[in-house]
Amino acid sequence: MADPERGPPAKPRPTNYNYNSNQYYVGTSETQWTSWLIPMFVVANVVVFIVAMSINNCPKHNLGFDDKCVAKFLGRFSFEPLRENPLFGPSSDTLEKLGALVWSKVVHGHQGWRLFTCMWLHAGVIHLLANMLSLVFIGIRLEQQFGFVRVGIIYLLSGFGGSILSALFIQNNISVGASGALFGLLGAMLSELITNWSIYTNKAAALLTLIVIIAINLAVGILPHVDNFAHIGGFLSGFLLGFIFLLRPQFGWIESRNLPANARVKSKHKPYQYVLVLVASALLIAGLTTGLVLLFKGDSLNKHCSWCHYLSCVPTSKWKCGN
């Protein structure tokens, strides 16, 4: 058994994001969008979890075992024994059947679709609640500011990037969860602050607040049974995507459209923003392409980086980092 990212059992990542970029932002007359995509993502994740529990059907598949299903009054929706899954969810076999990320099936079974499907599955109720609360706190605010298209692209591609990096390092466990996509939204928030630096007040406070939030949540990833490679891959993907999709007009540009032509701001964005778009686009395409090529060749990045496994788990006297 594995972690919230690699399947049960595991400890969920306690993410409680309360960073609000609006308190540092110099307001303009930009359109405020109505958030509907992020709530739909939340509903989709909950529905998928309910379907997974129905298919799991613990009372039927645990006949003859000493450990009993948890919350048996739920019938086919009851949870696996806590020894198997302490997060109150389905078995690893069920998650694998429904599309969990399994390295051998992706590489040798040619099931690349698992790189996407794994981000819609969760190891248990605790895992689901932690991720969905985080998604609501982060995603709705971003969607209100930038719209459903840009935030949806960042979410999905970040989850995809997280899956690729996870599969390149972790090849003996299954992986499920939306955390790679969530860390992508965090990374996008950081790049959004950087690329729109000139229109923020209290820049240092905004940057420090966001960096502390990101550092704390990445630090949680060094605990055992937590797939920090999915976090890192998602964060890096989202960080680059933020430079591409989350540009704001420079201060005064929107208001200047009502001024005479000779008084208008010449460009909607500043030159350095365009440079960041080009650099981020090149790095993103190169990174995803290289990752996919290495993955489908069956390569493992652990062979090329002997210390990288410490990024996902640091052994102590209290725990080990074995499979």
Side-chain angles (χ1 to χ4, degrees), residues 236-237 239-241 243-244 275-291:
L236 292 176
S237 299
F239 182 69
L240 295 175
L241 287 163
F243 287 120
I244 301 170
V275 172
L276 288 174
V277 169
L278 293 175
V279 173
S281 299
L283 290 175
L284 181 67
I285 294 172
L288 292 178
T289 302
T290 303

Side-chain angles (χ1 to χ4, degrees), residues 227-296:
D227 184 2
N228 216 22
F229 292 116
H231 299 174
I232 295 171
F235 175 80
L236 292 176
S237 299
F239 182 69
L240 295 175
L241 287 163
F243 287 120
I244 301 170
F245 291 108
L246 302 187
L247 282 74
R248 296 184 191 266
Q250 60 177 303
F251 184 71
W253 182 85
I254 295 178
E255 292 77 5
S256 72
R257 289 181 297 179
N258 298 321
L259 298 176
N262 59 358
R264 293 179 184 174
V265 177
K266 293 183 179 180
S267 176
K268 183 177 181 179
H269 302 291
K270 295 193 173 184
Y272 77 86
Q273 290 178 301
Y274 293 114
V275 172
L276 288 174
V277 169
L278 293 175
V279 173
S281 299
L283 290 175
L284 181 67
I285 294 172
L288 292 178
T289 302
T290 303
L292 286 172
V293 169
L294 291 174
L295 175 60
F296 286 104

Side-chain angles (χ1 to χ4, degrees), residues 57-68:
N57 197 356
C58 181
K60 177 181 178 180
H61 297 116
N62 261 30
L63 292 175
F65 289 88
D66 293 334
D67 292 335
K68 296 182 179 180

Side-chain angles (χ1 to χ4, degrees), residues 31-53:
T31 301
Q32 285 292 307
W33 300 75
T34 299
S35 176
W36 63 268
L37 183 64
I38 294 300
M40 287 296 294
F41 280 170
V42 173
V43 171
N45 277 277
V46 172
V47 169
V48 169
F49 181 75
I50 293 174
V51 171
M53 292 306 304

Side-chain angles (χ1 to χ4, degrees), residues 15-238:
T15 49
N16 182 19
Y17 307 105
N18 53 18
Y19 170 76
N20 185 353
S21 62
N22 284 337
Q23 63 184 309
Y24 304 109
Y25 177 58
V26 179
T28 70
S29 56
E30 286 185 272
T31 301
Q32 285 292 307
W33 300 75
T34 299
S35 176
W36 63 268
L37 183 64
I38 294 300
M40 287 296 294
F41 280 170
V42 173
V43 171
N45 277 277
V46 172
V47 169
V48 169
F49 181 75
I50 293 174
V51 171
M53 292 306 304
S54 176
I55 294 174
N56 187 67
N57 197 356
C58 181
K60 177 181 178 180
H61 297 116
N62 261 30
L63 292 175
F65 289 88
D66 293 334
D67 292 335
K68 296 182 179 180
C69 301
V70 178
K72 293 187 68 174
F73 64 89
L74 294 175
R76 67 183 301 125
F77 296 99
S78 57
F79 309 117
E80 288 294 309
L82 294 182
R83 181 180 299 180
E84 164 120 4
N85 185 352
L87 298 177
F88 301 98
S91 66
S92 292
D93 289 340
T94 298
L95 292 172
E96 183 175 336
K97 182 190 303 181
L98 292 178
L101 181 60
V102 183
W103 177 84
S104 60
K105 291 185 179 295
V106 172
V107 177
H108 302 300
H110 307 291
Q111 298 177 10
W113 47 268
R114 290 179 179 270
L115 295 169
F116 282 104
T117 56
C118 65
M119 71 178 77
W120 302 99
L121 295 166
H122 286 83
V125 172
I126 297 175
H127 187 207
L128 178 69
L129 287 176
N131 277 348
M132 293 306 99
L133 287 174
S134 300
L135 179 57
V136 168
F137 284 124
I138 305 172
I140 288 181
R141 185 176 299 118
L142 278 176
E143 187 179 356
Q144 288 172 342
Q145 294 177 6
F146 296 100
F148 70 94
V149 173
R150 288 185 280 183
V151 173
I153 291 173
I154 292 172
Y155 182 87
L156 295 174
L157 286 183
S158 296
F160 181 61
S163 296
I164 292 175
L165 192 65
S166 174
L168 285 171
F169 278 101
I170 299 172
Q171 302 179 347
N172 298 315
N173 299 84
I174 69 170
S175 175
V176 295
S179 296
L182 289 171
F183 270 82
L185 295 182
L186 270 181
M189 290 174 68
L190 179 59
S191 55
E192 187 272 324
L193 173 60
I194 294 172
T195 194
N196 301 314
W197 186 258
S198 63
I199 62 176
Y200 277 92
T201 60
N202 299 321
K203 300 177 177 64
L207 182 61
L208 181 61
T209 301
L210 191 51
I211 288 177
V212 168
I213 292 172
I214 293 169
I216 290 174
N217 285 278
L218 284 175
V220 173
I222 65 174
L223 295 173
H225 308 300
V226 178
D227 184 2
N228 216 22
F229 292 116
H231 299 174
I232 295 171
F235 175 80
L236 292 176
S237 299

